[in-house]
Amino acid sequence: MPFSQFDETRLHYEITGAGEPLFLVHGSWVDGGVWDTVVPLLSSRFELVSYDRRGHSRSSCPPGQGCIQEDVEDLAALIEALGMAPANVAGASLGGSIVLRLAASHPELLRSVAVHEPPLFDLIDADRDLEMTELRSRLAAIAALLEAGDHEDAARQYHEQFAGSSGGWARLSPAERRARVLNAPTYLDQWLDPDALGIDLDSLGAFEGPALVTYGDLRPPLFRRIAEMVAAALPGADEVEIPGTAHNPQVTHPDAYARVLTEFASMGARAESG
């Protein structure tokens, strides 16, 4: 198992396939294994790098309050350590927020970016939006469970209410449930980080390369609204709805998700050659 050491953090990563480099950045509660179903579908087109973010599963967890900026710096360091810049990078959920922050701060490291439903809830005024008010209330209840040390119930409630996967918590394998419980403290870090759920949209103008912003049509409308705001802020962005999907298309609909990424990469290649 390869690891990269950055200061106090050891990141576990795996490399599969051949072609242009494509880094895969997972979201909350899970780890790099969340990409396992889609990796075989992309490995003939890309050299894929999936990794466990700090505090998740096989990567180490430095002490103290974690923050999204540390994840951004980890991703930048990993791209540079593997000598793969400029790289294509795809992120799902909070992984998408990390990718967007990297595009804003280190655009030279990236060839293209693709993000699926980044949870940038601070872009929507909760005081004026009932949907957002309700969502924040449910997330606060999960955070309270985490603060009380009830990691399993918090993981179960989050999965049941927000993951959008068919079958619910009971359909997850024992290994998948264990991973979510193990990684639960990182979600509390995310909740307590004042920067995790927002972004300066103007900063995204720093990245002028190809960009893809996707969302599922089975999600609440606020996720599409956030996607539209992000796509409008990225100079080279396309916005794509993936029919029949929710928050984890790489898990629930790997064929559709892989097809969208491959078509996006092909369009980018044609634009470069033209």
Side-chain angles (χ1 to χ4, degrees):
M1 292 184 181
F3 288 86
S4 279
Q5 182 80 34
F6 307 119
D7 297 325
E8 295 180 287
T9 308
R10 293 178 77 230
L11 294 184
H12 171 273
Y13 67 92
E14 297 181 359
I15 301 179
T16 308
E20 293 182 12
L22 172 60
F23 285 72
L24 302 171
V25 189
H26 67 80
S28 306
W29 304 88
V30 294
D31 56 34
V34 79
W35 302 100
D36 284 354
T37 307
V38 80
V39 160
L41 305 175
L42 296 171
S43 58
S44 63
R45 176 69 173 77
F46 299 102
E47 184 176 19
L48 299 161
V49 181
S50 58
Y51 70 102
D52 295 350
R53 288 170 37 219
R54 63 168 57 213
H56 292 77
S57 297
R58 295 158 290 188
S59 292
S60 65
C61 185
Q65 165 71 43
C67 66
I68 191 171
Q69 190 56 38
E70 292 172 334
D71 281 301
V72 175
E73 293 166 1
D74 286 345
L75 178 55
L78 187 59
I79 292 172
E80 292 179 319
L82 296 178
M84 292 184 174
N88 305 290
V89 185
S93 191
L94 191 76
S97 301
I98 293 165
V99 170
L100 291 173
R101 285 178 170 268
L102 182 64
S105 60
H106 295 289
E108 73 282 358
L109 296 180
L110 304 179
R111 175 177 283 117
S112 71
V113 302
V115 300
H116 183 79
E117 293 192 358
L120 298 169
F121 302 142
D122 286 351
L123 296 180
I124 297 176
D125 187 350
D127 293 334
R128 300 182 180 181
D129 189 288
L130 292 177
E131 185 182 13
M132 182 56 68
T133 300
E134 170 61 23
L135 183 145
R136 285 187 177 277
S137 176
R138 289 188 286 153
L139 291 177
I142 290 168
L145 288 173
L146 292 172
E147 290 179 315
D150 194 346
H151 293 174
E152 183 169 357
D153 196 27
R156 179 186 60 78
Q157 288 200 30
Y158 184 90
H159 184 81
E160 295 281 2
Q161 295 184 43
F162 298 105
S165 303
S166 86
W169 180 255
R171 290 289 299 274
L172 293 177
S173 70
E176 289 172 322
R177 292 197 294 270
R178 283 195 299 271
R180 284 158 174 77
V181 175
L182 173 67
N183 297 329
T186 62
Y187 189 80
L188 183 58
D189 281 353
Q190 175 183 326
W191 178 256
L192 296 176
D193 177 7
D195 296 325
L197 301 182
I199 198 167
D200 176 6
L201 289 174
D202 290 340
S203 72
L204 297 179
F207 182 72
E208 298 181 349
L212 175 69
V213 185
T214 59
Y215 55 90
D217 64 343
L218 301 183
R219 295 290 278 168
L222 69 90
F223 285 93
R224 176 170 185 164
R225 290 160 57 197
I226 292 170
E228 290 171 343
M229 286 187 274
V230 170
L234 285 162
D238 291 322
E239 177 191 329
V240 175
E241 178 185 87
I242 306 179
T245 70
H247 198 51
N248 299 299
Q250 75 276 25
V251 176
T252 61
H253 296 74
D255 291 318
Y257 183 71
R259 184 168 54 252
V260 168
L261 283 187
T262 301
E263 290 174 353
F264 168 63
S266 298
M267 287 190 296
R270 286 197 296 270
E272 286 183 359
S273 63

